[in-house]
mmCIF file of all heavy atoms in Angstrom:
data_model
loop_
_atom_site.group_PDB
_atom_site.id
_atom_site.type_symbol
_atom_site.label_atom_id
_atom_site.label_comp_id
_atom_site.label_asym_id
_atom_site.label_seq_id
_atom_site.Cartn_x
_atom_site.Cartn_y
_atom_site.Cartn_z
ATOM 1 N N LEU A 912 142.331 74.072 89.950
ATOM 2 C CA LEU A 912 142.900 73.337 91.081
ATOM 3 C C LEU A 912 142.930 74.156 92.368
ATOM 4 O O LEU A 912 143.087 73.584 93.451
ATOM 5 C CB LEU A 912 144.312 72.855 90.731
ATOM 6 C CG LEU A 912 144.425 72.002 89.457
ATOM 7 C CD1 LEU A 912 145.843 71.484 89.299
ATOM 8 C CD2 LEU A 912 143.418 70.852 89.466
ATOM 9 N N GLN A 913 142.766 75.477 92.265
ATOM 10 C CA GLN A 913 142.758 76.332 93.454
ATOM 11 C C GLN A 913 141.579 76.014 94.371
ATOM 12 O O GLN A 913 141.615 76.276 95.565
ATOM 13 C CB GLN A 913 142.728 77.806 92.999
ATOM 14 C CG GLN A 913 142.376 78.831 94.049
ATOM 15 C CD GLN A 913 140.956 79.363 93.879
ATOM 16 O OE1 GLN A 913 140.188 78.883 93.055
ATOM 17 N NE2 GLN A 913 140.626 80.375 94.661
ATOM 18 N N ARG A 914 140.528 75.390 93.850
ATOM 19 C CA ARG A 914 139.325 75.146 94.639
ATOM 20 C C ARG A 914 138.671 73.791 94.343
ATOM 21 O O ARG A 914 137.929 73.273 95.170
ATOM 22 C CB ARG A 914 138.289 76.258 94.410
ATOM 23 C CG ARG A 914 137.793 76.312 92.969
ATOM 24 C CD ARG A 914 137.235 77.668 92.560
ATOM 25 N NE ARG A 914 136.864 77.680 91.141
ATOM 26 C CZ ARG A 914 137.741 77.830 90.151
ATOM 27 N NH1 ARG A 914 139.018 77.948 90.410
ATOM 28 N NH2 ARG A 914 137.331 77.840 88.901
ATOM 29 N N GLN A 915 138.905 73.215 93.170
ATOM 30 C CA GLN A 915 138.234 71.977 92.764
ATOM 31 C C GLN A 915 139.086 70.781 93.188
ATOM 32 O O GLN A 915 139.763 70.147 92.391
ATOM 33 C CB GLN A 915 137.969 72.002 91.264
ATOM 34 C CG GLN A 915 137.084 73.173 90.854
ATOM 35 C CD GLN A 915 136.794 73.227 89.365
ATOM 36 O OE1 GLN A 915 136.994 72.260 88.633
ATOM 37 N NE2 GLN A 915 136.296 74.368 88.905
ATOM 38 N N VAL A 916 139.032 70.488 94.488
ATOM 39 C CA VAL A 916 140.008 69.584 95.107
ATOM 40 C C VAL A 916 139.800 68.120 94.754
ATOM 41 O O VAL A 916 140.605 67.281 95.167
ATOM 42 C CB VAL A 916 139.990 69.766 96.638
ATOM 43 C CG1 VAL A 916 140.501 71.151 97.024
ATOM 44 C CG2 VAL A 916 138.569 69.569 97.197
ATOM 45 N N VAL A 917 138.785 67.804 94.002
ATOM 46 C CA VAL A 917 138.608 66.423 93.566
ATOM 47 C C VAL A 917 139.548 66.090 92.410
ATOM 48 O O VAL A 917 139.744 64.927 92.066
ATOM 49 C CB VAL A 917 137.123 66.173 93.164
ATOM 50 C CG1 VAL A 917 136.812 66.744 91.795
ATOM 51 C CG2 VAL A 917 136.764 64.704 93.260
ATOM 52 N N HIS A 918 140.151 67.137 91.806
ATOM 53 C CA HIS A 918 141.087 66.963 90.695
ATOM 54 C C HIS A 918 142.506 67.317 91.148
ATOM 55 O O HIS A 918 142.694 68.123 92.063
ATOM 56 C CB HIS A 918 140.704 67.867 89.520
ATOM 57 C CG HIS A 918 139.244 67.852 89.176
ATOM 58 N ND1 HIS A 918 138.601 66.726 88.700
ATOM 59 C CD2 HIS A 918 138.294 68.825 89.255
ATOM 60 C CE1 HIS A 918 137.322 66.999 88.495
ATOM 61 N NE2 HIS A 918 137.112 68.265 88.829
ATOM 62 N N GLY A 919 143.506 66.730 90.484
ATOM 63 C CA GLY A 919 144.904 67.028 90.775
ATOM 64 C C GLY A 919 145.634 67.499 89.538
ATOM 65 O O GLY A 919 145.077 67.545 88.429
ATOM 66 N N SER A 920 146.895 67.844 89.708
ATOM 67 C CA SER A 920 147.695 68.368 88.590
ATOM 68 C C SER A 920 147.754 67.381 87.422
ATOM 69 O O SER A 920 147.756 67.775 86.249
ATOM 70 C CB SER A 920 149.112 68.696 89.061
ATOM 71 O OG SER A 920 149.099 69.728 90.018
ATOM 72 N N SER A 921 147.805 66.091 87.728
ATOM 73 C CA SER A 921 147.879 65.090 86.656
ATOM 74 C C SER A 921 146.570 64.961 85.892
ATOM 75 O O SER A 921 146.527 64.304 84.843
ATOM 76 C CB SER A 921 148.268 63.735 87.240
ATOM 77 O OG SER A 921 147.290 63.290 88.169
ATOM 78 N N ASP A 922 145.505 65.575 86.409
ATOM 79 C CA ASP A 922 144.202 65.490 85.741
ATOM 80 C C ASP A 922 143.961 66.620 84.745
ATOM 81 O O ASP A 922 142.934 66.607 84.047
ATOM 82 C CB ASP A 922 143.070 65.506 86.776
ATOM 83 C CG ASP A 922 143.082 64.296 87.684
ATOM 84 O OD1 ASP A 922 143.232 63.182 87.154
ATOM 85 O OD2 ASP A 922 142.957 64.468 88.914
ATOM 86 N N VAL A 923 144.843 67.595 84.682
ATOM 87 C CA VAL A 923 144.643 68.721 83.773
ATOM 88 C C VAL A 923 144.499 68.192 82.345
ATOM 89 O O VAL A 923 145.318 67.403 81.869
ATOM 90 C CB VAL A 923 145.806 69.725 83.872
ATOM 91 C CG1 VAL A 923 145.689 70.790 82.778
ATOM 92 C CG2 VAL A 923 145.816 70.376 85.250
ATOM 93 N N GLY A 924 143.425 68.632 81.682
ATOM 94 C CA GLY A 924 143.139 68.173 80.336
ATOM 95 C C GLY A 924 142.194 66.985 80.269
ATOM 96 O O GLY A 924 141.665 66.673 79.199
ATOM 97 N N ARG A 925 141.952 66.303 81.396
ATOM 98 C CA ARG A 925 141.028 65.167 81.416
ATOM 99 C C ARG A 925 139.588 65.656 81.542
ATOM 100 O O ARG A 925 139.317 66.773 81.984
ATOM 101 C CB ARG A 925 141.327 64.241 82.596
ATOM 102 C CG ARG A 925 142.673 63.556 82.575
ATOM 103 C CD ARG A 925 142.781 62.606 83.760
ATOM 104 N NE ARG A 925 141.852 61.475 83.639
ATOM 105 C CZ ARG A 925 141.471 60.713 84.660
ATOM 106 N NH1 ARG A 925 141.917 60.977 85.889
ATOM 107 N NH2 ARG A 925 140.645 59.704 84.490
ATOM 108 N N ARG A 926 138.646 64.804 81.163
ATOM 109 C CA ARG A 926 137.241 65.104 81.405
ATOM 110 C C ARG A 926 136.990 65.109 82.914
ATOM 111 O O ARG A 926 137.482 64.231 83.641
ATOM 112 C CB ARG A 926 136.339 64.066 80.745
ATOM 113 C CG ARG A 926 136.577 63.834 79.258
ATOM 114 C CD ARG A 926 136.453 65.125 78.472
ATOM 115 N NE ARG A 926 135.114 65.702 78.540
ATOM 116 C CZ ARG A 926 134.788 66.867 77.972
ATOM 117 N NH1 ARG A 926 135.709 67.587 77.337
ATOM 118 N NH2 ARG A 926 133.564 67.350 78.064
ATOM 119 N N LYS A 927 136.246 66.082 83.381
ATOM 120 C CA LYS A 927 136.014 66.187 84.825
ATOM 121 C C LYS A 927 135.259 64.984 85.373
ATOM 122 O O LYS A 927 135.504 64.560 86.516
ATOM 123 C CB LYS A 927 135.271 67.475 85.141
ATOM 124 C CG LYS A 927 136.142 68.721 85.053
ATOM 125 C CD LYS A 927 135.409 69.953 85.558
ATOM 126 C CE LYS A 927 136.320 71.169 85.551
ATOM 127 N NZ LYS A 927 135.624 72.396 86.017
ATOM 128 N N VAL A 928 134.337 64.428 84.583
ATOM 129 C CA VAL A 928 133.600 63.269 85.095
ATOM 130 C C VAL A 928 134.523 62.083 85.314
ATOM 131 O O VAL A 928 134.333 61.299 86.262
ATOM 132 C CB VAL A 928 132.441 62.889 84.150
ATOM 133 C CG1 VAL A 928 131.352 63.953 84.157
ATOM 134 C CG2 VAL A 928 132.939 62.639 82.734
ATOM 135 N N ASP A 929 135.537 61.944 84.472
ATOM 136 C CA ASP A 929 136.482 60.838 84.635
ATOM 137 C C ASP A 929 137.385 61.053 85.839
ATOM 138 O O ASP A 929 137.625 60.127 86.629
ATOM 139 C CB ASP A 929 137.333 60.690 83.373
ATOM 140 C CG ASP A 929 136.509 60.281 82.160
ATOM 141 O OD1 ASP A 929 135.453 59.642 82.352
ATOM 142 O OD2 ASP A 929 136.916 60.619 81.031
ATOM 143 N N SER A 930 137.878 62.272 85.985
ATOM 144 C CA SER A 930 138.727 62.582 87.130
ATOM 145 C C SER A 930 137.956 62.421 88.436
ATOM 146 O O SER A 930 138.463 61.855 89.410
ATOM 147 C CB SER A 930 139.252 64.015 87.002
ATOM 148 O OG SER A 930 139.989 64.392 88.146
ATOM 149 N N ALA A 931 136.699 62.912 88.442
ATOM 150 C CA ALA A 931 135.876 62.802 89.646
ATOM 151 C C ALA A 931 135.580 61.349 89.973
ATOM 152 O O ALA A 931 135.610 60.933 91.145
ATOM 153 C CB ALA A 931 134.574 63.575 89.455
ATOM 154 N N ALA A 932 135.304 60.541 88.957
ATOM 155 C CA ALA A 932 135.017 59.124 89.194
ATOM 156 C C ALA A 932 136.220 58.412 89.799
ATOM 157 O O ALA A 932 136.075 57.578 90.704
ATOM 158 C CB ALA A 932 134.610 58.464 87.874
ATOM 159 N N ASP A 933 137.420 58.748 89.338
ATOM 160 C CA ASP A 933 138.631 58.144 89.901
ATOM 161 C C ASP A 933 138.814 58.546 91.357
ATOM 162 O O ASP A 933 139.234 57.734 92.200
ATOM 163 C CB ASP A 933 139.851 58.564 89.086
ATOM 164 C CG ASP A 933 139.904 57.889 87.720
ATOM 165 O OD1 ASP A 933 139.125 56.951 87.489
ATOM 166 O OD2 ASP A 933 140.716 58.327 86.884
ATOM 167 N N ALA A 934 138.516 59.819 91.662
ATOM 168 C CA ALA A 934 138.666 60.297 93.035
ATOM 169 C C ALA A 934 137.685 59.595 93.965
ATOM 170 O O ALA A 934 138.031 59.246 95.107
ATOM 171 C CB ALA A 934 138.463 61.809 93.082
ATOM 172 N N VAL A 935 136.453 59.392 93.500
ATOM 173 C CA VAL A 935 135.466 58.680 94.302
ATOM 174 C C VAL A 935 135.917 57.240 94.526
ATOM 175 O O VAL A 935 135.839 56.708 95.642
ATOM 176 C CB VAL A 935 134.084 58.723 93.620
ATOM 177 C CG1 VAL A 935 133.111 57.749 94.302
ATOM 178 C CG2 VAL A 935 133.513 60.137 93.667
ATOM 179 N N ALA A 936 136.404 56.596 93.470
ATOM 180 C CA ALA A 936 136.864 55.208 93.589
ATOM 181 C C ALA A 936 138.040 55.077 94.550
ATOM 182 O O ALA A 936 138.184 54.058 95.240
ATOM 183 C CB ALA A 936 137.248 54.669 92.210
ATOM 184 N N ALA A 937 138.896 56.107 94.605
ATOM 185 C CA ALA A 937 140.031 56.076 95.527
ATOM 186 C C ALA A 937 139.571 56.123 96.978
ATOM 187 O O ALA A 937 140.248 55.617 97.877
ATOM 188 C CB ALA A 937 140.971 57.247 95.231
ATOM 189 N N ILE A 938 138.404 56.743 97.220
ATOM 190 C CA ILE A 938 137.854 56.795 98.579
ATOM 191 C C ILE A 938 137.103 55.517 98.911
ATOM 192 O O ILE A 938 137.273 54.926 99.974
ATOM 193 C CB ILE A 938 136.925 58.028 98.730
ATOM 194 C CG1 ILE A 938 137.728 59.316 98.568
ATOM 195 C CG2 ILE A 938 136.206 58.010 100.074
ATOM 196 C CD1 ILE A 938 136.874 60.567 98.490
ATOM 197 N N ASP A 939 136.230 55.082 97.982
ATOM 198 C CA ASP A 939 135.451 53.865 98.203
ATOM 199 C C ASP A 939 135.162 53.227 96.844
ATOM 200 O O ASP A 939 134.273 53.688 96.117
ATOM 201 C CB ASP A 939 134.141 54.193 98.922
ATOM 202 C CG ASP A 939 133.341 52.930 99.271
ATOM 203 O OD1 ASP A 939 133.672 51.843 98.750
ATOM 204 O OD2 ASP A 939 132.379 53.035 100.057
ATOM 205 N N PRO A 940 135.884 52.192 96.473
ATOM 206 C CA PRO A 940 135.676 51.557 95.169
ATOM 207 C C PRO A 940 134.318 50.887 95.029
ATOM 208 O O PRO A 940 133.918 50.526 93.914
ATOM 209 C CB PRO A 940 136.819 50.528 95.084
ATOM 210 C CG PRO A 940 137.222 50.286 96.503
ATOM 211 C CD PRO A 940 136.984 51.579 97.232
ATOM 212 N N GLY A 941 133.596 50.737 96.126
ATOM 213 C CA GLY A 941 132.270 50.131 96.062
ATOM 214 C C GLY A 941 131.178 51.081 95.632
ATOM 215 O O GLY A 941 130.049 50.658 95.357
#
Side-chain angles (χ1 to χ4, degrees):
L912 304 185
Q913 165 255 7
R914 63 203 176 280
Q915 300 180 16
V916 293
V917 78
H918 314 295
S920 296
S921 62
D922 295 314
V923 172
R925 296 184 67 199
R926 306 304 297 177
K927 285 188 176 179
V928 292
D929 295 333
S930 175
D933 288 349
V935 169
I938 296 171
D939 184 347

